[in-house]
């Protein structure tokens, strides 16, 4: 059973959240006045973590507003393992047998998608990390622009860049709360970027009730198309004999718009490998991830060179009119009970479309639309023992297994909804173990060395 402190925190958490949900439902006039196509991506009560474009803690971050017609934005998490070229990493792998004990003593990453678990430790050495905030010099693949103190963050050098998979992450919050740059989501994405050795793109989608369905789902698809566009722009620059070099003050060498502004995001152009793209959704974000995966399957080659190779659904926010056993037995579970879930869906779905068997809410309804299940990418589902949403998530995974989709389920005992992503629970052993288990499975599909791990 959860600890006493978790139970007490859950009680106060539910009281505050339920009051906020009721206030938004009972003030429809206020909601209508606030409703615009631009929308909002965070709430005033949310604690925000500032972006830091240098590798002071092993991960550099930056925020980008990618849609001028709405508030849709992303936060990029770039791990410092990108600073080593693939050739140098391969060379270290050959010598790792003689230095295994030394590397293990300095380990800060468990696994690496390019080689053995020890290879990533050399990348994070002091000589590489210190230059991310030094005074305008480069070491290896690292460059810092600090002329006139205008920018002291990381700028890539194309010839020394290592390509990493891209993981698109959708935060939780019942469609009405949360943000991609909250303190809890920032810490979770940093952890995932390190243990999975990927570039994490956290999506700041529009929240309800200011922007109801399908706004958040469309935002997820927009981000996928934006990533594909970035990959194509980077390839265009290469085919024209240009180098993506963000060290130059003028944007010479970039694909630029009519105002001279670069259209290429330098971190993704230098380090992102869109052919190895993974979707990860947390709670309601898992619903968005599943929708985006279906749209990616429908798009086919239109997204080239981007390819969704797998998705991770962490305690997805599935519900339906016919209750499952867990929805009956655990309806008053910790942090987020079923009544609060219904309130969140009432705020998210348009009033004339409210139905718990809506395709966005229930993946098990017949004639849901979209591609056949057998075309879905491999799907890892994470569930918790004390979560009323668990049974429907497991049932969806079983439906995928029936059509030969790799769809394992990780069931964590004595855990609650959002046990690996909630601010209070992020530093628990279960949260750390969950991130590592996700890394084991994901690397089956993103590793250049093939299926290194398997259940």
């Amino acid at each position: 059973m959860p600890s006493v402190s978790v139970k007490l925190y859950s009680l106060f958490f539910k009281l505050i959240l339920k009051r906020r949900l009721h206030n938004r439902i009972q003030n429809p006039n206020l909601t209508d006045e606030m409703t615009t196509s631009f929308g909002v991506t965070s709430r005033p009560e949310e604690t925000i973590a500032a972006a830091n474009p240098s590798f002071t803690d092993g991960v550099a971050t930056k925020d980008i507003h990618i849609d001028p017609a709405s508030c849709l934005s992303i936060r990029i998490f770039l791990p410092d393992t990108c600073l080593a070229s693939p050739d140098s990493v391969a060379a270290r792998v050959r010598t790792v047998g003689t230095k295994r004990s030394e590397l293990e003593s300095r380990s800060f990453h468990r696994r690496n998608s390019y080689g053995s678990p020890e290879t990533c430790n050399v990348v994070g050495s002091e000589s590489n990390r210190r230059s991310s905030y030094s005074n305008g010099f480069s070491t290896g693949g690292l460059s810092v622009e600090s002329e006139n103190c205008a920018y002291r963050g990381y700028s890539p050098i194309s010839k020394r860049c290592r390509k990493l998979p891209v993981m698109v992450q959708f935060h939780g919050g019942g469609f009405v709360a949360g943000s991609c740059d909250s303190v809890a989501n920032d810490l979770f994405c940093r952890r995932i970027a390190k243990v999975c050795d990927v570039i994490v793109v956290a999506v700041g989608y529009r929240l309800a009730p200011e922007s109801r369905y399908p706004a958040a789902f469309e935002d997820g698809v927009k981000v996928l198309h934006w990533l594909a566009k970035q990959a194509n722009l980077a390839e265009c620059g290469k085919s024209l004999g240009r180098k993506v070099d963000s060290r130059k003050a003028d944007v010479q060498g970039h694909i630029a718009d009519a105002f001279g502004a670069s259209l290429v995001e330098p971190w993704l152009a230098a380090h992102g490998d869109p052919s190895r793209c993974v979707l990860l959704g947390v709670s309601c974000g898992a619903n968005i991830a599943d929708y985006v995966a279906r749209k990616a399957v429908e798009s086919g080659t239109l997204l080239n060179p981007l390819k969704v190779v797998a998705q991770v659904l962490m305690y997805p926010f599935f519900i339906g009119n016919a209750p499952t056993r867990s929805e009956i037995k655990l309806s008053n579970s910790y942090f987020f009970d079923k009544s609060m879930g219904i309130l969140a869906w009432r705020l998210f779905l348009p009033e004339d479309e409210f139905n718990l068997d809506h395709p966005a809410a229930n993946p098990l309804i017949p004639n849901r639309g979209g591609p056949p299940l057998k075309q879905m990418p491999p799907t890892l589902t994470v569930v918790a023992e004390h979560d009323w949403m668990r049974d429907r998530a497991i049932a969806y995974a079983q439906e995928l297994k029936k059509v030969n989709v790799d769809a394992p389920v990780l069931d964590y005992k004595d855990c609650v909804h959002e046990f690996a992503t909630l601010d209070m629970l992020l530093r628990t052993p279960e949260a750390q173990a969950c991130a590592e288990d996700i890394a084991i499975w994901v690397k089956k599909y993103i590793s250049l060395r093939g299926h290194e791990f398997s259940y």
Side-chain angles (χ1 to χ4, degrees):
M1 293 294 291
S3 64
V4 175
S5 60
V6 170
K7 292 179 180 179
L8 289 175
Y9 186 80
S10 171
L11 179 64
F12 289 107
F13 182 90
K14 288 167 68 174
L15 287 174
I16 294 173
L17 184 56
K18 190 171 291 187
R19 181 178 179 182
R20 290 172 181 168
L21 291 173
H22 277 294
N23 287 341
R24 292 193 177 101
I25 287 180
Q26 292 173 0
N27 293 281
N29 294 331
L30 179 61
T31 300
D32 292 340
E33 292 174 2
M34 295 172 59
T35 300
T36 63
S37 60
F38 196 79
V40 298
T41 58
S42 64
R43 301 293 178 192
E45 62 268 13
E46 198 77 51
T47 304
I48 302 301
N52 183 2
S54 60
F55 297 102
T56 53
D57 63 346
V59 179
T61 60
K62 74 163 65 169
D63 296 331
I64 304 176
H65 179 212
I66 66 174
D67 183 15
S70 71
C71 60
L72 174 61
S73 61
I74 61 172
R75 171 165 288 190
I76 300 176
F77 295 81
L78 182 68
D80 59 5
T81 53
C82 71
L83 302 181
S85 65
D87 294 337
S88 63
V89 174
R92 293 187 186 104
V93 173
R94 289 192 292 269
T95 60
V96 78
T98 59
K99 299 183 178 181
R100 181 166 185 172
S101 59
E102 178 185 354
L103 290 172
E104 285 179 347
S105 65
R106 292 185 292 163
S107 176
F108 68 93
H109 284 297
R110 189 180 226 179
R111 308 177 182 93
N112 187 286
S113 63
Y114 274 89
S116 61
E118 294 82 6
T119 62
C120 58
N121 306 318
V122 181
V123 177
S125 63
E126 182 65 23
S127 61
N128 275 346
R129 282 186 294 166
R130 66 184 295 273
S131 56
S132 65
Y133 47 86
S134 58
N135 191 18
F137 63 89
S138 62
T139 301
L142 183 67
S143 174
V144 177
E145 181 72 30
S146 60
E147 295 179 6
N148 300 323
C149 297
Y151 179 66
R152 298 183 65 85
Y154 168 64
S155 297
I157 301 175
S158 58
K159 65 180 180 180
R160 299 286 297 172
C161 292
R162 176 184 171 216
K163 294 289 187 178
L164 296 177
V166 177
M167 179 177 286
V168 183
Q169 188 261 359
F170 303 93
H171 65 81
F175 300 111
V176 299
S179 68
C180 66
D181 53 3
S182 66
V183 171
N185 197 69
D186 184 85
L187 180 57
F188 172 73
C189 289
R190 288 175 182 273
R191 174 179 291 169
I192 289 294
K194 291 177 181 178
V195 300
C196 294
D197 195 25
V198 296
I199 300 174
V200 176
V201 177
V203 181
Y205 55 85
R206 289 171 289 173
L207 302 177
E210 291 83 358
S211 301
R212 294 178 180 261
Y213 174 86
F217 287 66
E218 290 176 345
D219 287 348
V221 176
K222 285 180 182 178
V223 170
L224 212 62
H225 283 275
W226 182 84
L227 289 172
K229 179 181 177 181
Q230 287 294 314
N232 283 310
L233 287 173
E235 289 298 323
C236 286
K238 293 178 181 177
S239 65
L240 294 174
R242 298 172 177 177
K243 293 182 179 180
V244 178
D245 190 351
S246 58
R247 291 177 300 164
K248 298 180 181 180
D250 58 7
V251 290
Q252 184 178 3
H254 289 224
I255 305 295
D257 60 15
F259 296 97
S262 174
L263 294 175
V264 180
E265 204 299 303
W267 288 8
L268 293 176
H271 299 295
D273 182 357
S275 66
R276 295 180 289 159
C277 180
V278 179
L279 306 178
L280 185 148
V282 177
S283 188
C284 67
N287 298 50
I288 302 175
D290 186 63
Y291 176 87
V292 173
R294 289 189 286 125
K295 289 299 182 182
V297 171
E298 290 180 348
S299 298
T301 58
L302 295 178
L303 287 175
N304 284 348
L306 185 142
K307 182 180 180 181
V308 176
V309 298
Q311 67 170 339
V312 180
L313 308 181
M314 300 182 67
Y315 21 83
F317 191 28
F318 294 149
I319 198 171
N321 286 325
T324 63
R325 182 178 179 182
S326 64
E327 290 175 4
I328 297 173
K329 184 179 179 181
L330 302 171
S331 61
N332 193 32
S333 56
Y334 303 97
F335 291 103
F336 207 74
D337 58 39
K338 187 177 180 180
S339 62
M340 295 168 61
I342 295 175
L343 288 176
W345 278 109
R346 193 176 294 277
L347 285 167
F348 177 63
L349 295 175
E351 294 182 3
D352 57 343
E353 295 183 29
F354 176 73
N355 183 359
L356 295 182
D357 278 337
H358 191 282
N362 189 355
L364 304 177
I365 59 173
N367 303 320
R368 188 188 183 196
L373 286 181
K374 64 181 180 180
Q375 296 181 10
M376 291 293 287
T379 302
L380 174 67
T381 303
V382 176
V383 296
E385 181 181 8
H386 301 289
D387 183 8
W388 61 269
M389 308 177 199
R390 54 177 281 115
D391 281 1
R392 204 173 297 271
I394 295 173
Y396 182 52
Q398 291 173 345
E399 291 297 317
L400 291 171
K401 287 181 180 179
K402 290 179 182 179
V403 292
N404 296 324
V405 176
D406 183 20
V409 176
L410 298 182
D411 191 352
Y412 291 84
K413 303 299 181 183
D414 292 329
C415 289
V416 299
H417 187 72
E418 291 221 38
F419 71 93
T421 47
L422 200 65
D423 51 0
M424 179 191 181
L425 306 175
L426 266 169
R427 302 187 185 279
T428 60
E430 293 81 3
Q432 180 65 38
C434 180
E436 294 173 354
D437 290 341
I438 290 173
I440 291 175
W441 183 82
V442 163
K443 287 186 178 182
K444 290 168 54 179
Y445 300 100
I446 63 175
S447 173
L448 293 180
R449 295 172 60 86
H451 288 202
E452 296 177 0
F453 306 98
S454 179
Y455 282 110

